[in-house]
Amino acid sequence: GTFDRRRPVTPLAHMIEDYHIGMNETDLTHLPEILKLHDLARDEDAGDIKQFSERSKHNFKNRGLHHHVFDTLSAEQLVRYSGFEVISVEPILPCHIILVARKRELEAVNDSFSRSIMKAVKKSPFRSDRLVFKNSLGRSL
């Protein structure tokens, strides 16, 4: 639902690697992908491609780019990886993913949540979530 809708979902491994190497807001690694796939029509402050490109080069100052792209499953995976127990997840149009989680003293247990995430993914507004659900069942939605 955002201007990143054409970009691929960022894999969990990529986000973990960025964390471990201390990647910060000055990183422009994704700039070529963003310039190629950014939906200017969904970003009213972007201007034309030339203006957007110039603005993007100074992202640390204006914070107009998203370094990573999420869908419901990737957001849930990142929260679980971070040691939280996911209590509830709700994808909401046009582009929101609401996750409720709690930090556990011991390793988080998410087995009881696996059915809930699939329910949320089934009705998700994010195409990539629905494809994962379809593939997990071996049938169309």
Side-chain angles (χ1 to χ4, degrees):
T2 71
F3 47 71
D4 286 322
R5 69 186 184 91
R6 296 178 182 143
R7 292 179 60 202
V9 173
T10 307
L12 179 61
H14 177 100
M15 291 183 273
I16 293 168
E17 180 182 346
D18 279 358
Y19 172 76
H20 285 296
I21 64 173
M23 189 65 69
N24 64 33
E25 293 283 333
T26 62
D27 175 51
L28 293 177
T29 303
H30 301 287
L31 187 56
E33 173 188 289
I34 291 168
L35 293 175
K36 180 179 177 185
L37 300 175
H38 193 86
D39 188 347
L40 292 172
R42 292 193 182 192
D43 186 355
E44 61 187 48
D45 296 327
D48 62 26
I49 189 63
K50 184 177 178 184
Q51 293 166 320
F52 175 66
S53 178
E54 190 57 35
R55 181 187 86 178
S56 297
K57 292 174 188 175
H58 306 285
N59 188 56
F60 184 73
K61 287 171 54 175
N62 59 43
R63 300 299 206 305
L65 305 178
H66 296 152
H67 293 267
H68 298 130
V69 177
F70 295 89
D71 62 9
T72 307
L73 285 174
S74 66
E76 185 266 342
Q77 287 174 334
L78 184 60
V79 169
R80 279 191 307 129
Y81 177 83
S82 300
F84 288 84
E85 178 184 1
V86 178
I87 306 301
S88 180
V89 62
E90 184 75 26
I92 300 172
L93 287 172
C95 59
H96 303 288
I97 303 167
I98 308 300
L99 280 152
V100 177
R102 65 179 166 209
K103 186 72 173 171
R104 292 288 194 161
E105 292 297 322
L106 303 174
E107 186 175 328
V109 177
N110 286 285
D111 294 339
S112 63
F113 182 72
S114 60
R115 281 176 266 128
S116 297
I117 186 68
M118 290 314 290
K119 184 179 176 182
V121 166
K122 181 179 178 181
K123 66 178 185 174
S124 173
F126 305 107
R127 183 175 176 270
S128 57
D129 282 337
R130 293 190 309 273
L131 289 173
V132 168
F133 181 79
K134 176 183 169 184
N135 291 338
S136 73
L137 293 180
R139 60 184 171 89
S140 298
L141 293 178

